[in-house]
Amino acid sequence: MLDIQLLRNDLDGVAERLATRGYTLDCAGFRRLDSERKTLQTRTQDLQARRNALSRQVGVAKSRAEDVTAILDEVAACKAELETNEAHLDQLLAELDAFVARVPNLPQADVPLGRSADDNVENKRWGTPRSFAFTPRDHVDLGEALGQMDFAAAVKISGTRFSLIKGQLAHLHRALAQFMLDTHTAQHGYAEIYSPYLVNAASLFGTGQLPKFEDDLFKILRPEAEPLYLIPTAEVPVTNIVRNEILSAEALPLKFVCHTPCFRSEAGSYGRDTRGMIRQHQFDKVELVQIVAAEASSAAHEELTAHAERILELLELPYRRVTLCTGDMGFSSAKTYDLEVWLPAQQAYREISSCSNFAAFQARRMQARYRGARGRPELVHTLNGSGLAVGRTLVAVLENYQNADGSIAVPRLLQPYLGGRQRIAVD
RNA sequence: GGAGAGGUGGCAGAGUGGUCGAAUGUACCUGACUCGAAAUCAGGCGUAGGUGGAAGCCUACCGUGGGUUCGAAUCCCACCCUCUCCGCCA
């Protein structure tokens, strides 16, 4: 959420910066709402002040056993106006809140301008895509030939966009998550979190998934209780650890890593990536989250992204890093790096991690603060990134490490996690 | 699931209808004392919004949302959450 003061003070400047990400800010609408609010709020507060003063007089007069009917009449006179004003003001404030809650974050100044993914800027490439002496197969062919990937079973059990893996591939999937967790906790200083997979609406509002993106979520309705939502990413439960908290400056930075399944309805992506495990209703992800002081967030963003890159490097998977342009960034992000892994069957780099700095955008929604040098509570900055998406990492390992006979070499550092196994083949 | 207790400022903890945004303690900040520190003493110290050049003034907030009242932290209703005991359960 943007600071409503910023909208009041520099509406045109905000609109200009939001236009770079393809968002049209309804300036006229905001000005109308806010000026109406201002008039009404001033009037309402005057009436409240008068009522409070008169009510105090009642108390004083009564303690002196004086007649109070004249004062009571006067209060009654302003009460009707006060009540309609208060009701109208509440409604206006709610409209303003709703308006601001749907405005996306401002892009950081160094984010490249652009309209779509075509305008994203490649920052670096790591590794050299392997040249194959045979035509590399994609992960679906490989997995099904191994007898360890069964999409038909997944469709029968649940429906489309689910997957089922078994045997050594299921073990490899587990090993990847373990390896990522171990690396981030032992080498990068993250504290491991185990979190709920069902969260309430307030948490989703905090990280920015609600109110705008409810269609992307799986929602559990409960007749006698608040609805719960399946988490679309561990970002939601983990970042919300600090919701409504005031942290001490010494407690920062907080660095959390959390492995969870993620659930996405993928509404609006029908027909995209329908084959295989690339785009699923359910997938596992190891998520990195940092909660930092305001001035530290840009450096933390570089650091967190490097931590995610480290996993790809240790697994010796070629990748590139791109900076998302203004038009391609997510709603809450101030700046995002995507990491894209090389998939030989597609002859393309595909997203495997997204690392974002949200600045104070989520913190303002969550009221997550710390006591800084000035002693006053200040909003923290929040960041997160995939470190990495486990399912897509499995896909990348299968495709990059495949042999001509359809077996899969196990990346060196994963071998201890698989009991020393060097090769995955038909059971 | 049943019974009971409770949610107040960074923390602890008073306050059961009338200048209560809230005693007190503690933490923190400033000053005095000190070579310095501790102890002591004095003062300050919640959040958000409005208005004003500023000092200031005003409004809202005592889990959340409603209600009663001239006036609500305090009374009533609903909800959320926490704790204790019992039951059940991995």
Side-chain angles (χ1 to χ4, degrees):
Chain A
M1 201 158 62
L2 298 180
D3 186 354
I4 196 163
Q5 298 296 355
L6 185 63
L7 292 175
R8 285 177 185 147
N9 297 335
D10 186 22
L11 189 63
D12 294 327
V14 170
E16 212 171 290
R17 292 175 67 189
L18 288 175
T20 66
R21 49 183 301 165
Y23 182 87
T24 307
L25 186 66
D26 178 7
C27 292
F30 179 82
R31 284 206 177 89
R32 181 179 47 74
L33 266 180
D34 196 52
S35 75
E36 201 179 341
R37 181 220 104 239
K38 196 164 171 171
T39 313
L40 198 60
Q41 184 166 357
T42 311
R43 177 66 185 147
T44 303
Q45 292 186 352
D46 285 347
L47 287 167
Q48 285 170 330
R50 183 139 160 264
R51 178 205 58 199
N52 290 346
L54 290 170
S55 291
R56 273 195 289 271
Q57 285 178 34
V58 172
V60 173
K62 275 194 171 172
S63 69
R64 294 184 195 139
E66 293 170 1
D67 180 41
V68 295
T69 51
I71 308 175
L72 292 185
D73 287 348
E74 207 180 335
V75 181
C78 72
K79 198 177 177 183
E81 188 187 353
L82 181 57
E83 276 174 2
T84 53
N85 275 20
E86 278 179 338
H88 190 186
L89 181 62
D90 282 352
Q91 186 200 324
L92 269 177
L93 289 174
E95 280 178 48
L96 266 176
D97 281 349
F99 182 98
V100 178
R102 287 168 179 273
V103 176
N105 202 359
L106 294 172
Q108 207 169 286
D110 59 351
V111 172
L113 298 178
R115 299 168 61 104
S116 73
D118 297 335
D119 302 316
N120 293 343
V121 174
E122 180 179 305
N123 304 125
K124 76 181 229 188
R125 288 191 184 205
W126 185 93
T128 310
R130 171 182 157 199
S131 57
F132 289 86
F134 54 94
T135 305
R137 298 197 261 167
D138 82 354
H139 69 281
V140 179
D141 284 349
L142 291 163
E144 289 184 334
L146 288 167
Q148 297 175 25
M149 211 174 257
D150 191 341
F151 290 97
V155 166
K156 177 174 67 184
I157 296 162
S158 300
T160 183
R161 290 202 190 277
F162 287 92
S163 53
L164 186 143
I165 52 181
K166 47 191 175 185
Q168 295 164 29
L169 278 193
H171 192 172
L172 176 62
H173 184 263
R174 169 160 58 96
L176 283 166
Q178 300 291 318
F179 170 70
M180 294 174 195
L181 283 169
D182 286 347
T183 303
H184 293 309
T185 54
Q187 294 179 30
H188 299 153
Y190 290 78
E192 185 168 348
I193 300 289
Y194 171 79
S195 85
Y197 301 158
L198 296 173
V199 294
N200 56 33
S203 294
L204 287 156
F205 179 87
T207 34
Q209 283 81 10
L210 288 181
K212 250 185 152 173
F213 305 102
E214 177 148 25
D215 288 349
D216 298 337
L217 301 166
F218 286 104
K219 183 176 187 177
I220 314 283
L221 292 169
R222 298 185 295 173
E224 300 294 333
E226 298 283 298
L228 290 171
Y229 299 79
L230 278 78
I231 55 170
T233 157
E235 161 193 354
V236 179
V238 176
T239 311
N240 273 279
I241 289 171
V242 297
R243 173 153 56 90
N244 289 329
E245 299 292 335
I246 299 178
L247 307 161
S248 69
E250 303 81 64
L252 302 179
L254 292 171
K255 296 166 71 174
F256 298 124
V257 59
C258 185
H259 168 221
T260 70
C262 304
F263 303 93
R264 300 187 182 178
S265 77
E266 295 295 347
S269 64
Y270 302 107
R272 289 183 65 195
D273 302 314
T274 47
R275 180 174 166 84
M277 290 182 66
I278 296 291
R279 192 176 299 275
Q280 301 276 282
H281 285 316
Q282 172 188 322
F283 61 95
D284 276 28
K285 181 157 58 67
V286 171
E287 184 77 356
L288 303 172
V289 172
Q290 291 201 25
I291 313 290
V292 306
E295 64 276 8
S297 68
S298 286
H301 189 209
E302 301 299 325
E303 180 198 87
L304 183 146
T305 305
H307 291 153
E309 289 175 344
R310 183 79 183 132
I311 299 295
L312 289 163
E313 292 165 15
L314 292 172
L315 294 175
E316 298 177 75
L317 292 168
Y319 70 91
R320 64 173 192 163
R321 183 211 282 202
V322 300
T323 304
L324 297 196
C325 73
T326 50
D328 199 33
M329 287 198 308
F331 175 77
S332 301
S333 176
K335 184 178 182 183
T336 299
Y337 294 125
D338 270 8
L339 302 182
E340 300 180 344
V341 70
W342 177 253
L343 293 186
Q346 296 191 13
Q347 288 291 299
Y349 288 96
R350 292 299 308 262
E351 179 184 346
I352 197 168
S353 170
S354 191
C355 301
S356 298
N357 182 2
F358 302 94
F361 189 82
Q362 294 181 326
R364 188 171 290 107
R365 297 168 87 90
M366 291 191 298
Q367 284 302 296
R369 294 169 293 177
Y370 71 107
R371 233 169 251 285
R374 285 178 288 284
R376 293 173 53 78
E378 296 177 55
L379 295 168
V380 298
H381 280 195
T382 60
L383 307 100
N384 68 57
S386 349
L388 307 161
V390 180
R392 288 189 181 180
T393 309
L394 181 78
V395 168
V397 169
L398 290 186
E399 296 197 7
N400 283 281
Y401 280 83
Q402 63 182 291
N403 298 314
D405 65 359
S407 66
I408 312 293
V410 176
R412 191 173 49 83
L413 291 176
L414 285 181
Q415 291 171 10
Y417 289 84
L418 292 169
R421 184 186 291 280
Q422 296 178 353
R423 190 168 154 273
I424 291 174
V426 178
D427 265 330

